Amino acid sequence: MSGQTDIMSGITDMNKEFLTVLKSLFFVAVAATAGAVLAILSVRFHMPTGWVGALALIIWSIWARKNWAHIQAQTGLEPSGPERVLRLRAAGTALLVGHMLAGLSHLGLDLHIGQGNYLAIDSWTMFAALLLAGIFFRHDEAIRDERDDSITARGTKAGYLSLIGMLILLLSLLGFLPVHTLENLDYFTLANILVAIILLSITIKYTMQLIGYAKDTEAALTMGLKND
Amino acid sequence: MTDVEIGNYLRKHRFLQGEMTQAQLAKSVGVTRQTIVALETARYAPSLELAMKLACVFDCGVDELFFWKNPEEAKANYHFKGSKS
């Protein structure tokens, strides 16, 4: 009987852990999807949409600070300074990655500024907003301890491995795809693909870090461990 | 971070020390309060330096603050495995 209880408890723990991972992935996926949608709308309607993403990022930053203050008062399990900064960077990077990948999916589109689309301006607008939103969390970065470094190390490992993996994949494609398939791939597009790969690996790094923090918080919530 | 094999009496010592808060303990050893939470939930095993700092705060030894959750298993896994000449 106690064995059955242990098994059920183990399954429940696994479900909780899975949900925790899912929440972090969902957060990043929403930001990336938003970026992709903005890029698609920009190309379709020939209008800049980067300001929408920029505004959303800044509004989210303001809302997040208020939400964390509420969590602090309720459970004492609000994110630490480094985690807050990480969440902003994860959201902003995912937004840019989604935007960039959606832009690159429009084959033949000249991504240079002033070539009939606003994709480049939109990217830089959202990047500027990411820097601006960082001001809201500037003071939160004050303390960074060994646990933060440990979580960062795991994220960095995942980011590095994904970067190498994607570069190997790209090199393989460049080496083995038929010549006529690569005819549309000019240097500028290739450079943008490389930027997208770098941003994607950074997003993977941040996502792994988010999962690390989320698991710790979930464990504390499960144990009913509040600020005392 | 995963559940570690090492437990601790941080919470107990905090309350014995005039109900020290997590924030106060965190400030004393130079970590975030969230790291103290992670320590108390056994989600994180501290470095030796941090463990000694914590022991200093509570004026006790490191082995009075941290313990193996399963001492028999630890003894079975971690023992001298070479030959003594």
Side-chain angles (χ1 to χ4, degrees):
Chain A
M1 196 67 173
S2 64
Q4 277 183 334
T5 309
D6 288 342
I7 291 170
M8 290 308 296
S9 172
I11 292 172
T12 306
D13 289 342
M14 277 172 58
N15 284 341
K16 277 185 186 170
E17 184 150 325
F18 178 69
L19 280 173
T20 302
V21 171
L22 213 58
K23 276 184 203 172
S24 298
L25 291 174
F26 182 72
F27 175 76
V28 172
V30 165
T33 304
V37 166
L38 289 175
I40 291 168
L41 289 175
S42 178
V43 172
R44 186 174 170 83
F45 296 110
H46 298 288
M47 55 181 269
T49 56
W51 63 271
V52 175
L55 199 61
L57 203 53
I58 290 173
I59 291 173
W60 173 84
S61 304
I62 296 170
W63 172 85
R65 278 192 74 95
K66 288 186 177 172
N67 187 43
W68 292 331
H70 175 71
I71 291 173
Q72 185 175 4
Q74 290 290 313
T75 65
L77 293 173
E78 80 286 3
S80 62
E83 189 184 345
R84 294 181 187 205
V85 171
L86 169 69
R87 289 196 188 190
L88 170 65
R89 289 178 181 171
T93 311
L95 189 70
L96 287 169
V97 161
H99 188 267
M100 188 150 234
L101 291 176
L104 285 169
S105 69
H106 292 84
L107 298 173
L109 200 64
D110 190 335
L111 300 174
H112 281 99
I113 290 176
Q115 297 301 317
N117 64 75
Y118 298 94
L119 291 176
I121 293 174
D122 287 344
S123 287
W124 286 111
T125 303
M126 289 189 288
F127 180 68
L130 178 59
L131 294 178
L132 186 66
I135 293 173
F136 291 113
F137 303 122
R138 192 178 54 226
H139 296 296
D140 294 345
E141 205 174 355
I143 298 175
R144 184 182 176 79
D145 60 25
E146 59 178 57
R147 185 181 71 106
D148 297 310
D149 290 342
S150 176
I151 291 173
T152 299
R154 288 175 181 233
T156 301
K157 184 178 176 181
Y160 171 76
L161 290 174
S162 63
L163 176 66
I164 297 297
M166 285 189 282
L167 285 176
I168 290 173
L169 181 63
L170 177 65
L171 288 168
S172 301
L173 288 172
L174 290 175
F176 293 108
L177 279 178
V179 173
H180 69 268
T181 308
L182 297 172
E183 273 173 356
N184 289 329
L185 192 65
D186 57 14
Y187 291 122
F188 186 74
T189 303
L190 186 55
N192 274 278
I193 290 173
L194 287 169
V195 171
I197 285 174
I198 290 170
L199 285 178
L200 197 50
S201 64
I202 292 173
T203 304
I204 290 170
K205 166 183 148 66
Y206 288 157
T207 305
M208 289 303 295
Q209 288 175 241
L210 282 176
I211 291 172
Y213 282 118
K215 283 183 177 179
D216 283 357
T217 304
E218 184 58 38
L221 280 169
T222 302
M223 288 181 64
L225 208 65
K226 297 182 180 182
N227 183 18
D228 57 357
Chain B
M1 304 290 101
T2 56
D3 287 331
V4 296
E5 298 172 14
I6 297 169
N8 62 74
Y9 295 119
L10 284 178
R11 200 171 168 78
K12 174 184 139 188
H13 278 271
R14 276 200 299 114
F15 283 114
L16 288 175
Q17 289 263 351
E19 296 191 6
M20 182 192 294
T21 65
Q22 291 168 339
Q24 288 170 331
L25 178 58
K27 194 172 178 182
S28 301
V29 295
V31 298
T32 60
R33 185 174 58 75
Q34 288 77 3
T35 293
I36 298 297
V37 173
L39 284 166
E40 291 185 355
T41 56
R43 290 279 311 168
Y44 177 68
S47 64
L48 178 59
E49 184 180 349
L50 179 55
M52 292 188 71
K53 284 180 184 176
L54 288 164
C56 255
V57 168
F58 296 121
D59 195 25
C60 65
V62 172
D63 59 346
E64 290 173 74
L65 206 49
F66 297 93
F67 58 89
W68 286 109
K69 286 181 184 173
N70 196 330
E72 283 72 32
E73 190 181 315
K75 279 182 186 169
N77 290 335
Y78 310 117
H79 60 271
F80 180 70
K81 287 168 182 160
S83 57
K84 292 181 183 175
S85 57

